[in-house]
Amino acid sequence: MTPAATTIFPVILPVSEADQRLSGRDKVKALSRLARSALMKSCEKSGLHLDSFPKNQKGVPLPVGGVHWSLTHKSDMVGGVAAALPVGMDLETIRPVSDALLAKVASEDEWKLVGGNRRNNFFRFWTAKEAVLKAVGKGMVGLSHCRVVAVVDDAHMTLTYDGTRWPVAHYWFGDHVAALAARHFSASWTRY
Ligand SMILES: CC(C)(COP(=O)(O)OP(=O)(O)OC[C@H]1O[C@@H](n2cnc3c(N)ncnc32)[C@H](O)[C@@H]1OP(=O)(O)O)[C@@H](O)C(=O)NCCC(=O)NCCS
Protein backbone atom coordinates (compact mmCIF):
# COMPACT_ATOMS: atom_id res chain seq x y z
CA MET A 1 0.00 0.00 0.00
CA THR A 2 1.29 3.51 -0.83
CA PRO A 3 1.88 5.54 2.36
CA ALA A 4 -0.19 8.74 2.77
CA ALA A 5 1.56 11.81 1.33
CA THR A 6 3.06 14.15 3.93
CA THR A 7 1.69 17.70 3.81
CA ILE A 8 4.51 20.23 3.55
CA PHE A 9 3.99 23.93 4.37
CA PRO A 10 6.28 26.25 2.36
CA VAL A 11 6.08 29.93 3.33
CA ILE A 12 6.82 32.97 1.15
CA LEU A 13 7.47 36.45 2.60
CA PRO A 14 7.86 39.80 0.81
CA VAL A 15 11.09 41.77 1.24
CA SER A 16 10.45 45.28 2.64
CA GLU A 17 11.25 48.26 0.42
CA ALA A 18 13.98 49.29 2.89
CA ASP A 19 15.66 45.88 2.62
CA GLN A 20 15.28 45.90 -1.18
CA ARG A 21 17.29 49.15 -1.25
CA LEU A 22 20.24 47.54 0.57
CA SER A 23 23.20 46.27 -1.44
CA GLY A 24 26.13 43.88 -1.15
CA ARG A 25 26.65 41.90 2.06
CA ASP A 26 24.01 43.91 3.96
CA LYS A 27 21.37 42.80 1.48
CA VAL A 28 22.49 39.15 1.51
CA LYS A 29 22.37 39.17 5.33
CA ALA A 30 18.90 40.77 5.39
CA LEU A 31 17.51 38.29 2.83
CA SER A 32 19.05 35.31 4.64
CA ARG A 33 17.54 36.48 7.93
CA LEU A 34 14.10 36.99 6.37
CA ALA A 35 14.24 33.56 4.68
CA ARG A 36 14.88 32.04 8.12
CA SER A 37 11.77 33.86 9.40
CA ALA A 38 9.81 32.18 6.59
CA LEU A 39 11.36 28.87 7.67
CA MET A 40 10.23 29.38 11.28
CA LYS A 41 6.69 30.12 10.08
CA SER A 42 6.83 26.88 8.09
CA CYS A 43 7.88 25.08 11.30
CA GLU A 44 4.90 26.57 13.17
CA LYS A 45 2.48 25.47 10.45
CA SER A 46 3.87 21.95 10.29
CA GLY A 47 4.40 21.43 14.05
CA LEU A 48 8.13 20.88 13.51
CA HIS A 49 10.89 22.32 15.69
CA LEU A 50 14.19 23.84 14.55
CA ASP A 51 16.47 25.80 16.88
CA SER A 52 19.56 26.04 14.68
CA PHE A 53 20.37 26.14 10.97
CA PRO A 54 23.60 24.17 10.49
CA LYS A 55 25.14 23.77 7.06
CA ASN A 56 28.01 21.60 5.86
CA GLN A 57 31.29 22.94 4.44
CA LYS A 58 29.67 23.30 1.01
CA GLY A 59 26.80 25.38 2.42
CA VAL A 60 24.22 22.58 2.22
CA PRO A 61 21.57 22.80 4.98
CA LEU A 62 21.84 19.88 7.45
CA PRO A 63 18.78 18.29 9.11
CA VAL A 64 18.34 18.83 12.85
CA GLY A 65 16.56 16.10 14.85
CA GLY A 66 15.07 14.70 11.64
CA VAL A 67 13.84 18.10 10.45
CA HIS A 68 15.05 19.02 6.94
CA TRP A 69 14.95 22.60 5.68
CA SER A 70 15.44 24.66 2.56
CA LEU A 71 15.62 28.39 1.82
CA THR A 72 15.42 30.63 -1.20
CA HIS A 73 15.93 34.38 -1.43
CA LYS A 74 15.40 36.73 -4.31
CA SER A 75 15.62 40.53 -4.07
CA ASP A 76 11.89 41.08 -3.47
CA MET A 77 10.66 37.70 -2.10
CA VAL A 78 12.05 34.95 0.12
CA GLY A 79 10.87 31.46 0.98
CA GLY A 80 11.51 28.84 3.62
CA VAL A 81 10.30 25.32 4.29
CA ALA A 82 10.79 22.66 6.98
CA ALA A 83 9.79 19.01 6.56
CA ALA A 84 10.31 15.59 8.12
CA LEU A 85 11.85 14.41 4.85
CA PRO A 86 14.45 15.83 2.44
CA VAL A 87 13.01 18.95 0.82
CA GLY A 88 14.08 21.66 -1.62
CA MET A 89 12.55 25.04 -2.45
CA ASP A 90 13.29 27.61 -5.12
CA LEU A 91 11.75 30.92 -6.13
CA GLU A 92 12.30 33.03 -9.24
CA THR A 93 11.03 36.23 -10.79
CA ILE A 94 9.81 35.53 -14.33
CA ARG A 95 11.90 37.64 -16.68
CA PRO A 96 13.47 37.49 -20.17
CA VAL A 97 16.15 34.80 -20.55
CA SER A 98 18.87 34.21 -23.14
CA ASP A 99 18.86 31.37 -25.69
CA ALA A 100 21.94 29.98 -23.92
CA LEU A 101 19.97 29.58 -20.66
CA LEU A 102 17.03 27.99 -22.52
CA ALA A 103 19.42 25.37 -23.89
CA LYS A 104 21.12 24.93 -20.49
CA VAL A 105 17.97 24.18 -18.49
CA ALA A 106 16.51 21.32 -20.55
CA SER A 107 17.13 18.89 -23.40
CA GLU A 108 14.95 18.67 -26.53
CA ASP A 109 13.21 15.60 -25.03
CA GLU A 110 12.31 17.56 -21.90
CA TRP A 111 11.06 20.58 -23.88
CA LYS A 112 8.73 18.26 -25.83
CA LEU A 113 6.88 17.49 -22.56
CA VAL A 114 5.52 21.04 -22.31
CA GLY A 115 5.12 22.27 -25.87
CA GLY A 116 4.25 25.95 -26.26
CA ASN A 117 6.60 28.85 -25.74
CA ARG A 118 9.96 27.88 -24.20
CA ARG A 119 10.44 31.32 -22.64
CA ASN A 120 7.12 30.91 -20.79
CA ASN A 121 8.09 27.47 -19.56
CA PHE A 122 11.71 28.23 -18.71
CA PHE A 123 11.10 29.15 -15.07
CA ARG A 124 8.94 26.05 -14.47
CA PHE A 125 11.88 23.90 -15.46
CA TRP A 126 14.50 26.05 -13.79
CA THR A 127 12.79 26.26 -10.37
CA ALA A 128 11.83 22.55 -10.48
CA LYS A 129 15.44 21.54 -11.11
CA GLU A 130 16.80 23.96 -8.48
CA ALA A 131 14.31 22.59 -5.93
CA VAL A 132 15.34 18.96 -6.63
CA LEU A 133 19.04 19.88 -6.62
CA LYS A 134 18.59 21.54 -3.23
CA ALA A 135 16.67 18.54 -1.86
CA VAL A 136 19.55 16.24 -2.84
CA GLY A 137 22.06 18.83 -1.54
CA LYS A 138 23.89 19.24 -4.83
CA GLY A 139 23.15 22.73 -6.12
CA MET A 140 23.76 23.50 -9.77
CA VAL A 141 26.76 21.15 -10.10
CA GLY A 142 24.18 18.31 -10.27
CA LEU A 143 22.21 19.88 -13.14
CA SER A 144 23.22 17.26 -15.74
CA HIS A 145 21.87 14.44 -13.48
CA CYS A 146 18.42 16.02 -13.18
CA ARG A 147 15.69 15.48 -15.79
CA VAL A 148 12.04 16.40 -16.20
CA VAL A 149 10.23 13.12 -17.00
CA ALA A 150 6.53 14.05 -16.72
CA VAL A 151 4.45 17.23 -16.72
CA VAL A 152 1.09 16.63 -15.03
CA ASP A 153 -0.38 20.16 -15.10
CA ASP A 154 0.67 23.79 -14.49
CA ALA A 155 1.42 22.98 -10.83
CA HIS A 156 2.83 19.45 -10.87
CA MET A 157 5.68 17.68 -12.62
CA THR A 158 8.01 14.76 -11.95
CA LEU A 159 11.79 14.90 -12.23
CA THR A 160 14.48 12.31 -11.73
CA TYR A 161 17.87 12.73 -10.12
CA ASP A 162 20.17 9.83 -11.05
CA GLY A 163 17.04 7.77 -11.73
CA THR A 164 15.24 8.52 -8.41
CA ARG A 165 11.83 10.15 -8.90
CA TRP A 166 11.14 13.54 -7.35
CA PRO A 167 7.64 15.05 -7.59
CA VAL A 168 7.64 18.86 -7.77
CA ALA A 169 4.78 21.27 -6.97
CA HIS A 170 4.70 24.82 -8.38
CA TYR A 171 3.01 27.92 -6.98
CA TRP A 172 2.45 30.90 -9.28
CA PHE A 173 1.87 34.45 -8.01
CA GLY A 174 2.26 37.75 -9.87
CA ASP A 175 5.44 37.56 -11.92
CA HIS A 176 6.94 34.91 -9.62
CA VAL A 177 6.96 31.14 -9.49
CA ALA A 178 8.06 28.93 -6.58
CA ALA A 179 8.82 25.22 -6.65
CA LEU A 180 8.89 22.59 -3.92
CA ALA A 181 10.48 19.13 -4.25
CA ALA A 182 10.24 16.11 -1.92
CA ARG A 183 9.82 12.38 -2.44
CA HIS A 184 6.11 12.00 -1.53
CA PHE A 185 4.08 15.02 -0.51
CA SER A 186 1.26 17.45 -1.01
CA ALA A 187 1.97 21.18 -0.70
CA SER A 188 0.06 23.77 1.33
CA TRP A 189 1.51 27.15 0.31
CA THR A 190 1.32 30.34 2.39
CA ARG A 191 2.23 33.77 1.05
CA TYR A 192 2.14 36.77 3.38
C1 LIG B 1 23.78 27.09 -4.46
C2 LIG B 1 22.42 27.10 -5.12
C3 LIG B 1 21.52 26.11 -4.41
C4 LIG B 1 21.85 28.52 -4.94
O1 LIG B 1 20.71 28.79 -5.62
P1 LIG B 1 20.20 30.27 -5.85
O2 LIG B 1 18.99 30.19 -6.72
O3 LIG B 1 21.32 31.14 -6.29
O4 LIG B 1 19.86 30.80 -4.39
P2 LIG B 1 18.55 30.67 -3.49
O5 LIG B 1 18.34 32.02 -2.87
O6 LIG B 1 17.40 30.07 -4.19
O7 LIG B 1 19.02 29.65 -2.33
C5 LIG B 1 19.97 30.03 -1.37
C6 LIG B 1 19.93 29.03 -0.21
O8 LIG B 1 20.15 27.72 -0.72
C7 LIG B 1 20.77 26.95 0.31
N1 LIG B 1 21.84 26.19 -0.34
C8 LIG B 1 23.05 26.61 -0.74
N2 LIG B 1 23.71 25.60 -1.36
C9 LIG B 1 22.89 24.52 -1.32
C10 LIG B 1 23.00 23.18 -1.77
N3 LIG B 1 24.10 22.72 -2.38
N4 LIG B 1 21.96 22.33 -1.58
C11 LIG B 1 20.85 22.76 -0.95
N5 LIG B 1 20.66 24.03 -0.51
C12 LIG B 1 21.68 24.90 -0.70
C13 LIG B 1 21.26 27.90 1.41
O9 LIG B 1 20.45 27.68 2.55
C14 LIG B 1 21.02 29.27 0.81
O10 LIG B 1 20.54 30.20 1.72
P3 LIG B 1 21.48 30.82 2.90
O11 LIG B 1 22.78 31.16 2.27
O12 LIG B 1 20.72 32.01 3.41
O13 LIG B 1 21.58 29.71 3.95
C15 LIG B 1 22.67 26.63 -6.56
O14 LIG B 1 21.60 25.92 -7.08
C16 LIG B 1 23.18 27.65 -7.53
O15 LIG B 1 24.32 28.00 -7.49
N6 LIG B 1 22.35 28.14 -8.42
C17 LIG B 1 22.73 29.05 -9.47
C18 LIG B 1 21.61 29.99 -9.72
C19 LIG B 1 21.62 30.49 -11.14
O16 LIG B 1 22.51 30.28 -11.94
N7 LIG B 1 20.54 31.18 -11.46
C20 LIG B 1 20.26 31.68 -12.75
C21 LIG B 1 18.78 31.48 -13.03
S1 LIG B 1 18.23 32.21 -14.49
Short mmCIF file of all heavy atoms in Angstrom, two decimals, residues 32 36 55 58-61 69 71-74 89-92 95 101 122-123 126 130 133-134 137-140, ligand 1:
data_model
loop_
_atom_site.label_atom_id
_atom_site.label_comp_id
_atom_site.label_asym_id
_atom_site.label_seq_id
_atom_site.Cartn_x
_atom_site.Cartn_y
_atom_site.Cartn_z
N SER A 32 18.84 36.58 3.94
CA SER A 32 19.05 35.31 4.64
C SER A 32 18.25 35.27 5.94
O SER A 32 17.64 34.27 6.28
CB SER A 32 20.53 35.11 4.98
OG SER A 32 21.21 34.61 3.88
N ARG A 36 14.98 32.86 6.90
CA ARG A 36 14.88 32.04 8.12
C ARG A 36 13.60 32.34 8.89
O ARG A 36 13.07 31.47 9.57
CB ARG A 36 16.15 32.21 8.97
CG ARG A 36 17.31 31.40 8.39
CD ARG A 36 18.69 31.86 8.82
NE ARG A 36 19.72 30.99 8.29
CZ ARG A 36 20.16 30.99 7.01
NH1 ARG A 36 19.64 31.83 6.13
NH2 ARG A 36 21.09 30.15 6.62
N LYS A 55 24.88 24.13 8.47
CA LYS A 55 25.14 23.77 7.06
C LYS A 55 26.50 23.07 7.00
O LYS A 55 27.36 23.29 7.87
CB LYS A 55 25.15 25.03 6.20
CG LYS A 55 23.81 25.75 6.21
CD LYS A 55 23.69 26.77 5.11
CE LYS A 55 24.37 28.06 5.41
NZ LYS A 55 24.16 29.08 4.38
N LYS A 58 30.06 22.81 2.34
CA LYS A 58 29.67 23.30 1.01
C LYS A 58 28.45 24.20 1.07
O LYS A 58 27.90 24.57 0.03
CB LYS A 58 29.40 22.11 0.09
CG LYS A 58 30.66 21.33 -0.22
CD LYS A 58 30.40 20.22 -1.21
CE LYS A 58 31.70 19.55 -1.60
NZ LYS A 58 31.52 18.34 -2.36
N GLY A 59 27.95 24.49 2.28
CA GLY A 59 26.80 25.38 2.42
C GLY A 59 25.47 24.68 2.29
O GLY A 59 24.41 25.33 2.18
N VAL A 60 25.47 23.33 2.34
CA VAL A 60 24.22 22.58 2.22
C VAL A 60 23.55 22.49 3.59
O VAL A 60 24.18 22.07 4.56
CB VAL A 60 24.50 21.14 1.71
CG1 VAL A 60 23.19 20.37 1.57
CG2 VAL A 60 25.27 21.18 0.40
N PRO A 61 22.27 22.89 3.70
CA PRO A 61 21.57 22.80 4.98
C PRO A 61 21.56 21.36 5.51
O PRO A 61 21.32 20.42 4.75
CB PRO A 61 20.14 23.25 4.64
CG PRO A 61 20.31 24.12 3.44
CD PRO A 61 21.44 23.51 2.66
N TRP A 69 15.38 21.23 5.98
CA TRP A 69 14.95 22.60 5.68
C TRP A 69 15.60 23.10 4.41
O TRP A 69 16.65 22.61 3.99
CB TRP A 69 15.24 23.52 6.87
CG TRP A 69 16.66 23.53 7.36
CD1 TRP A 69 17.26 22.58 8.15
CD2 TRP A 69 17.66 24.52 7.12
NE1 TRP A 69 18.57 22.93 8.40
CE2 TRP A 69 18.85 24.11 7.79
CE3 TRP A 69 17.68 25.71 6.40
CZ2 TRP A 69 20.02 24.87 7.76
CZ3 TRP A 69 18.85 26.48 6.36
CH2 TRP A 69 20.01 26.04 7.05
N LEU A 71 15.88 26.95 1.92
CA LEU A 71 15.62 28.39 1.82
C LEU A 71 15.80 28.86 0.40
O LEU A 71 16.56 28.26 -0.37
CB LEU A 71 16.63 29.17 2.68
CG LEU A 71 16.73 28.86 4.16
CD1 LEU A 71 17.84 29.71 4.77
CD2 LEU A 71 15.41 29.15 4.85
N THR A 72 15.16 29.96 0.08
CA THR A 72 15.42 30.63 -1.20
C THR A 72 15.23 32.12 -0.98
O THR A 72 14.33 32.54 -0.25
CB THR A 72 14.50 30.09 -2.31
OG1 THR A 72 14.78 30.76 -3.53
CG2 THR A 72 13.01 30.21 -1.98
N HIS A 73 16.14 32.93 -1.55
CA HIS A 73 15.93 34.38 -1.43
C HIS A 73 16.23 35.10 -2.72
O HIS A 73 17.29 34.94 -3.31
CB HIS A 73 16.70 35.00 -0.27
CG HIS A 73 17.95 34.31 0.16
ND1 HIS A 73 19.12 34.37 -0.54
CD2 HIS A 73 18.21 33.57 1.26
CE1 HIS A 73 20.05 33.70 0.11
NE2 HIS A 73 19.53 33.18 1.20
N LYS A 74 15.25 35.86 -3.15
CA LYS A 74 15.40 36.73 -4.31
C LYS A 74 15.25 38.16 -3.80
O LYS A 74 14.84 38.37 -2.66
CB LYS A 74 14.34 36.39 -5.37
CG LYS A 74 14.53 34.98 -5.90
CD LYS A 74 15.84 34.83 -6.66
CE LYS A 74 16.52 33.51 -6.76
NZ LYS A 74 16.58 32.44 -5.96
N MET A 89 13.46 23.97 -2.02
CA MET A 89 12.55 25.04 -2.45
C MET A 89 13.32 26.04 -3.28
O MET A 89 14.47 26.35 -2.98
CB MET A 89 11.95 25.71 -1.21
CG MET A 89 10.96 26.81 -1.51
SD MET A 89 10.20 27.39 0.03
CE MET A 89 9.04 28.58 -0.64
N ASP A 90 12.68 26.55 -4.32
CA ASP A 90 13.29 27.61 -5.12
C ASP A 90 12.22 28.61 -5.54
O ASP A 90 11.03 28.27 -5.61
CB ASP A 90 13.99 27.04 -6.35
CG ASP A 90 14.89 28.09 -7.01
OD1 ASP A 90 15.72 28.70 -6.29
OD2 ASP A 90 14.75 28.34 -8.21
N LEU A 91 12.65 29.82 -5.80
CA LEU A 91 11.75 30.92 -6.13
C LEU A 91 12.44 31.77 -7.18
O LEU A 91 13.62 32.04 -7.06
CB LEU A 91 11.52 31.71 -4.84
CG LEU A 91 10.77 33.02 -4.84
CD1 LEU A 91 9.33 32.81 -5.28
CD2 LEU A 91 10.80 33.60 -3.43
N GLU A 92 11.71 32.16 -8.21
CA GLU A 92 12.30 33.03 -9.24
C GLU A 92 11.30 34.09 -9.67
O GLU A 92 10.08 33.87 -9.63
CB GLU A 92 12.71 32.24 -10.49
CG GLU A 92 13.88 31.29 -10.28
CD GLU A 92 15.22 31.97 -10.06
OE1 GLU A 92 15.35 33.19 -10.35
OE2 GLU A 92 16.15 31.28 -9.59
N ARG A 95 11.26 36.53 -15.96
CA ARG A 95 11.90 37.64 -16.68
C ARG A 95 12.48 37.11 -17.98
O ARG A 95 12.54 35.88 -18.17
CB ARG A 95 13.00 38.26 -15.81
CG ARG A 95 14.06 37.25 -15.41
CD ARG A 95 14.99 37.79 -14.33
NE ARG A 95 16.09 36.87 -14.05
CZ ARG A 95 16.01 35.82 -13.24
NH1 ARG A 95 14.88 35.50 -12.64
NH2 ARG A 95 17.07 35.05 -13.03
N LEU A 101 20.60 30.15 -21.88
CA LEU A 101 19.97 29.58 -20.66
C LEU A 101 18.85 28.61 -21.01
O LEU A 101 18.67 27.59 -20.34
CB LEU A 101 19.42 30.71 -19.79
CG LEU A 101 20.30 31.19 -18.65
CD1 LEU A 101 19.60 32.28 -17.87
CD2 LEU A 101 20.70 30.05 -17.72
N PHE A 122 10.35 28.32 -19.24
CA PHE A 122 11.71 28.23 -18.71
C PHE A 122 11.73 28.17 -17.18
O PHE A 122 12.39 27.32 -16.58
CB PHE A 122 12.55 29.42 -19.19
CG PHE A 122 13.89 29.49 -18.52
CD1 PHE A 122 14.95 28.74 -18.99
CD2 PHE A 122 14.09 30.29 -17.39
CE1 PHE A 122 16.18 28.77 -18.36
CE2 PHE A 122 15.32 30.33 -16.76
CZ PHE A 122 16.36 29.58 -17.24
N PHE A 123 10.99 29.07 -16.53
CA PHE A 123 11.10 29.15 -15.07
C PHE A 123 10.41 27.99 -14.36
O PHE A 123 10.73 27.70 -13.21
CB PHE A 123 10.65 30.52 -14.56
CG PHE A 123 11.69 31.57 -14.83
CD1 PHE A 123 11.55 32.46 -15.88
CD2 PHE A 123 12.85 31.61 -14.08
CE1 PHE A 123 12.54 33.39 -16.15
CE2 PHE A 123 13.86 32.53 -14.36
CZ PHE A 123 13.70 33.43 -15.39
N TRP A 126 13.35 25.59 -14.58
CA TRP A 126 14.50 26.05 -13.79
C TRP A 126 14.24 25.87 -12.29
O TRP A 126 15.06 25.31 -11.56
CB TRP A 126 14.79 27.52 -14.10
CG TRP A 126 16.02 27.99 -13.39
CD1 TRP A 126 16.09 28.55 -12.15
CD2 TRP A 126 17.36 27.87 -13.87
NE1 TRP A 126 17.40 28.80 -11.83
CE2 TRP A 126 18.20 28.40 -12.86
CE3 TRP A 126 17.93 27.39 -15.05
CZ2 TRP A 126 19.58 28.45 -12.99
CZ3 TRP A 126 19.32 27.44 -15.17
CH2 TRP A 126 20.12 27.96 -14.16
N GLU A 130 16.12 23.39 -9.67
CA GLU A 130 16.80 23.96 -8.48
C GLU A 130 16.24 23.33 -7.20
O GLU A 130 17.00 23.04 -6.28
CB GLU A 130 16.59 25.47 -8.43
CG GLU A 130 17.48 26.26 -9.35
CD GLU A 130 18.78 26.71 -8.67
OE1 GLU A 130 19.18 26.08 -7.67
OE2 GLU A 130 19.38 27.67 -9.15
N LEU A 133 17.60 19.84 -6.90
CA LEU A 133 19.04 19.88 -6.62
C LEU A 133 19.31 20.33 -5.19
O LEU A 133 20.28 19.90 -4.57
CB LEU A 133 19.75 20.79 -7.63
CG LEU A 133 19.74 20.23 -9.06
CD1 LEU A 133 20.24 21.28 -10.05
CD2 LEU A 133 20.59 18.96 -9.15
N LYS A 134 18.45 21.18 -4.64
CA LYS A 134 18.59 21.54 -3.23
C LYS A 134 18.18 20.37 -2.33
O LYS A 134 18.83 20.11 -1.32
CB LYS A 134 17.74 22.77 -2.90
CG LYS A 134 18.33 24.06 -3.44
CD LYS A 134 17.44 25.22 -3.04
CE LYS A 134 18.00 26.53 -3.50
NZ LYS A 134 17.09 27.65 -3.12
N GLY A 137 20.88 18.17 -2.11
CA GLY A 137 22.06 18.83 -1.54
C GLY A 137 23.17 19.09 -2.53
O GLY A 137 24.31 19.28 -2.15
N LYS A 138 22.83 19.11 -3.82
CA LYS A 138 23.89 19.24 -4.83
C LYS A 138 24.08 20.65 -5.35
O LYS A 138 25.18 21.02 -5.74
CB LYS A 138 23.57 18.33 -6.04
CG LYS A 138 23.65 16.87 -5.72
CD LYS A 138 25.09 16.46 -5.45
CE LYS A 138 25.18 14.99 -5.08
NZ LYS A 138 26.48 14.64 -4.54
N GLY A 139 23.01 21.45 -5.44
CA GLY A 139 23.15 22.73 -6.12
C GLY A 139 23.38 22.50 -7.61
O GLY A 139 23.29 21.37 -8.11
N MET A 140 23.73 23.56 -8.30
CA MET A 140 23.76 23.50 -9.77
C MET A 140 24.79 22.54 -10.35
O MET A 140 24.69 22.16 -11.51
CB MET A 140 24.00 24.91 -10.34
CG MET A 140 22.79 25.80 -10.23
SD MET A 140 21.30 25.04 -10.90
CE MET A 140 21.60 25.27 -12.63
C1 LIG B 1 23.78 27.09 -4.46
C2 LIG B 1 22.42 27.10 -5.12
C3 LIG B 1 21.52 26.11 -4.41
C4 LIG B 1 21.85 28.52 -4.94
O1 LIG B 1 20.71 28.79 -5.62
P1 LIG B 1 20.20 30.27 -5.85
O2 LIG B 1 18.99 30.19 -6.72
O3 LIG B 1 21.32 31.14 -6.29
O4 LIG B 1 19.86 30.80 -4.39
P2 LIG B 1 18.55 30.67 -3.49
O5 LIG B 1 18.34 32.02 -2.87
O6 LIG B 1 17.40 30.07 -4.19
O7 LIG B 1 19.02 29.65 -2.33
C5 LIG B 1 19.97 30.03 -1.37
C6 LIG B 1 19.93 29.03 -0.21
O8 LIG B 1 20.15 27.72 -0.72
C7 LIG B 1 20.77 26.95 0.31
N1 LIG B 1 21.84 26.19 -0.34
C8 LIG B 1 23.05 26.61 -0.74
N2 LIG B 1 23.71 25.60 -1.36
C9 LIG B 1 22.89 24.52 -1.32
C10 LIG B 1 23.00 23.18 -1.77
N3 LIG B 1 24.10 22.72 -2.38
N4 LIG B 1 21.96 22.33 -1.58
C11 LIG B 1 20.85 22.76 -0.95
N5 LIG B 1 20.66 24.03 -0.51
C12 LIG B 1 21.68 24.90 -0.70
C13 LIG B 1 21.26 27.90 1.41
O9 LIG B 1 20.45 27.68 2.55
C14 LIG B 1 21.02 29.27 0.81
O10 LIG B 1 20.54 30.20 1.72
P3 LIG B 1 21.48 30.82 2.90
O11 LIG B 1 22.78 31.16 2.27
O12 LIG B 1 20.72 32.01 3.41
O13 LIG B 1 21.58 29.71 3.95
C15 LIG B 1 22.67 26.63 -6.56
O14 LIG B 1 21.60 25.92 -7.08
C16 LIG B 1 23.18 27.65 -7.53
O15 LIG B 1 24.32 28.00 -7.49
N6 LIG B 1 22.35 28.14 -8.42
C17 LIG B 1 22.73 29.05 -9.47
C18 LIG B 1 21.61 29.99 -9.72
C19 LIG B 1 21.62 30.49 -11.14
O16 LIG B 1 22.51 30.28 -11.94
N7 LIG B 1 20.54 31.18 -11.46
C20 LIG B 1 20.26 31.68 -12.75
C21 LIG B 1 18.78 31.48 -13.03
S1 LIG B 1 18.23 32.21 -14.49
#
